[in-house]
Amino acid sequence: MILTVTLNTALDITYRVRSLRPHASHRVSEVIERPGGKGVNAGRVLAALGHQVTVTGFAGGGTGRAVRDRLAGTGGLTDALVPVAGASRRTIAVVDEISGDTTQLNEPGPQITPAEWAAFLDRYAELVPSASAVALCGSLPPGVPVGAYAGLIRTARSLGVPVLLDTSGEPLRRGVAARPDIIKPNADELAELTGSHDPLRATEDARRRGAHTVVASLGPNGLLAATSEGRWRATPPGRVHGNPTGAGDSAVAALLSGLVSRLPWPARLAHAVALAAATVRAPAAGEFDRSTYEELLGRVTVTGQAGH
């Protein structure tokens, strides 16, 4: 079982408009709602890839109920979300059909009480021993300690369970110090962590700070990985237009799938880039078409070498 943690779950809402213009009214041509938050998205993709997945974190209010209702029909996925009094957030993606660009609006999330946080820690402690890998994903809702991920990493590592961390800012900085097996920042998050805007130098700096492996997302330019086994870069076959919501989470899912399947790093990165690109092409957040994924996989370019 792969365990994904989403402390700030969301109901992802995608609006499609013909052309998004500031200070104007828009007629929405389509509305799609999906359960979201980084770990939830990654969990859904992992389930679609054939893995057994458990998702945990928080869910509350009407949006939380909507998230859980939509997860209920997902084969291979177990809902272990912890109920809270506050309402889970919504994320709004507005897709401009002419340009193909997407505008994203993210709410902050509910206030988490000390009792709710303690209930989550109990749930996490119950789940981790049965996990083959853990993914800690996304922002922290108000009330959750800024060092939360660092503590969750230490718990998993004490049990020999590998951990992937996908967050930003101070939670990332503190989490890296707890020595996660993999971190997956984007270029801006990596620069904020290390102070370097050179991705190769920044990935090595992040490893020195504690991360065993750094997989940096370079947006449309693919992924850059610095590992104990070598360095590689995976590039998609040309620029992909569409809705990027959930693309990074699909990359996380592919990295976790490759980890538990013991794929070599070049193959893990190729799958991650292809799956992320297929997610961008899909009409709804966090979805992908398998035939598109398989077609893109054959055209991903991976360069680099083992060793240093």
Side-chain angles (χ1 to χ4, degrees), residues 188-226:
D188 290 340
E189 293 162 350
L190 188 59
E192 182 183 5
L193 173 67
T194 65
S196 175
H197 291 275
D198 177 342
L200 183 58
R201 180 179 299 174
T203 55
E204 292 297 346
D205 188 316
R207 290 192 68 222
R208 286 191 292 271
R209 290 168 185 258
H212 290 270
T213 292
V214 181
V215 180
S217 172
L218 306 179
N221 296 317
L223 297 173
L224 175 67

Side-chain angles (χ1 to χ4, degrees), residues 238-266:
R239 190 174 183 88
V240 180
H241 293 282
N243 182 1
T245 305
D249 309 326
S250 289
V252 165
L255 293 173
L256 288 167
S257 179
L259 171 67
V260 300
S261 301
R262 301 185 184 278
L263 292 180
W265 269 107

Side-chain angles (χ1 to χ4, degrees), residues 268-279:
R268 295 188 205 183
L269 296 173
H271 281 276
V273 166
L275 196 53
T279 302

